[in-house]
Amino acid sequence: MSWLTEYVRPKIRGLLQREVPENLWTSCESCSQMILIKDLEKAQRVCPHCGHHGKALANERLQWTFDDGKYTKIELPKVPSDPLGFRDQKKYADRLKDAKTKTHLDESLAVAHGKIGGHDAVVAVMAYEFMAGTMGTALGEAFIAACRLAVLQKAALVIYTASGGARMQEGVLSLMQMPRTTIGVEMLKDAGLPYIVVLTNPTTGGVSASFAMLGDVQIAEPEALIAFTGPRVIQDTVREKLPEGFQRSEYLRDHGMVDMVVARPELQTMLGRLIGMMMNKPAAASEAA
């Protein structure tokens, strides 16, 4: 028996066992079903079981949006990194440094230009992975830079919003970006250029109270939370039970705040069609096909 247990059994067990990478599978945040990470990435982080739209990185959205995933990122304007010398449990400058190292981004907004459906377009993507996509002076400058680039290229501007609101570490300077970004939107309107907003989960606070709700066309991803203040705070304030789906994409569409709810895999095609119609240009050959 010792020969069988000490020699044969370990040999058989070694032949049958295979090393499985730990990062091969993940579970859906909504339905908890197991999904191959490779399949989830192919599906643009949309659960194949329940259709839940998971959070996406800024660079992923740029790749999904532009034709053939080809685009050119622009360098963002430089701003003072810590204008107020703010510190809570950690220095604000250190928080920024950690966020830049972790995300490989300079700020919570990435800007690029390229083609969508064969049409020239500038795309700005809010990076929720960078300090929860909060809005500070750097984001305001980056948004203005995106607007100026769109005017220069006579191209449409598309922005994906995802934010926890204003960045408290910059105080009133953060709040000043609300009217500043609104001026950027007016630049596009004066030039007669389309401004399309894609609201993703979550879009809240000062972002939803400014440039996120000023689009010529307002698109939202399914089940995205779009609000100024969260539903729990509102419910505690008014002391009434809120309607089902309150502040979600579908509720806002049904009440006229959002024009359409579009699933992520269909967004690129829809954006190409909208830009073509709004710029009064025929669709590209590939789009027409």
Side-chain angles (χ1 to χ4, degrees):
M1 289 296 293
S2 61
W3 176 75
L4 289 173
T5 56
E6 294 178 10
Y7 182 78
V8 177
R9 186 179 295 173
K11 281 285 185 181
I12 295 174
R13 187 176 296 161
L15 290 171
L16 293 176
Q17 285 181 339
R18 293 182 181 179
E19 291 185 4
V20 179
E22 293 181 1
N23 60 346
L24 193 62
W25 294 83
T26 187
S27 60
C28 174
E29 297 174 357
S30 179
C31 67
S32 301
Q33 290 285 334
M34 295 300 294
I35 314 166
L36 275 169
I37 291 180
K38 180 176 64 175
D39 293 341
L40 188 63
E41 291 174 348
K42 285 182 180 179
Q44 298 184 6
R45 300 196 180 278
V46 177
C47 176
H49 303 289
C50 68
H52 173 73
H53 285 50
K55 287 186 175 65
L57 302 177
N59 289 331
E60 289 177 325
R61 289 197 182 276
L62 290 173
Q63 187 174 15
W64 298 335
T65 301
F66 287 105
D67 294 349
D68 301 321
K70 297 179 180 178
Y71 58 87
T72 303
K73 291 181 75 172
I74 69 168
E75 185 176 350
L76 302 178
K78 303 298 182 183
V79 299
S81 58
D82 187 5
L84 303 180
F86 189 92
R87 176 174 185 148
D88 45 28
Q89 295 177 342
K90 193 175 185 179
K91 288 183 179 179
Y92 177 41
D94 292 339
R95 290 189 185 277
L96 284 174
K97 184 178 179 181
D98 292 344
K100 291 177 181 180
T101 302
K102 182 180 178 181
T103 63
H104 304 290
L105 296 171
D106 292 328
E107 246 300 325
S108 57
L109 190 73
V111 181
H113 60 96
K115 299 279 187 180
I116 302 177
H119 308 295
D120 292 331
V122 176
V123 177
V125 181
M126 296 192 71
Y128 195 79
E129 63 269 26
F130 192 105
M131 297 186 68
T134 45
M135 177 175 62
T137 52
L139 184 143
E141 288 293 334
F143 184 84
I144 294 295
C147 294
R148 287 173 175 161
L149 179 61
V151 172
L152 181 66
Q153 295 187 352
K154 297 181 179 179
L157 175 61
V158 178
I159 183 164
Y160 288 86
T161 62
S163 177
R167 188 172 295 173
M168 69 171 191
Q169 290 90 347
E170 296 188 21
V172 70
L173 297 177
S174 175
L175 298 178
M176 287 171 61
Q177 305 315 307
M178 295 171 65
R180 183 162 171 72
T181 53
T182 302
I183 292 172
V185 175
E186 288 300 317
M187 290 167 52
L188 296 169
K189 294 186 184 299
D190 291 343
L193 297 170
Y195 173 53
I196 302 174
V197 179
V198 182
L199 302 152
T200 75
N201 184 51
T203 298
T204 60
V207 170
S208 66
S210 55
F211 63 90
M213 300 304 291
L214 296 177
D216 297 313
V217 179
Q218 299 284 137
I219 305 174
E221 288 190 337
E223 289 293 319
L225 174 65
I226 304 163
F228 179 72
T229 303
R232 184 169 55 185
V233 175
I234 293 176
Q235 185 163 304
D236 291 343
T237 302
V238 301
R239 301 184 185 281
E240 291 184 14
K241 186 177 180 181
L242 301 177
E244 186 177 353
F246 183 70
Q247 294 182 322
R248 295 288 173 174
S249 303
E250 292 76 9
Y251 183 91
L252 295 181
R253 177 197 58 199
D254 295 342
H255 289 78
M257 295 293 290
V258 168
D259 295 308
M260 61 184 78
V261 177
V262 182
R264 190 175 293 163
E266 301 169 7
L267 264 174
Q268 203 261 0
T269 301
M270 178 59 71
L271 289 172
R273 289 175 180 171
L274 287 171
I275 293 171
M277 288 188 292
M278 296 172 77
M279 297 289 286
N280 196 24
K281 294 181 179 180
S286 59
E287 173 71 10

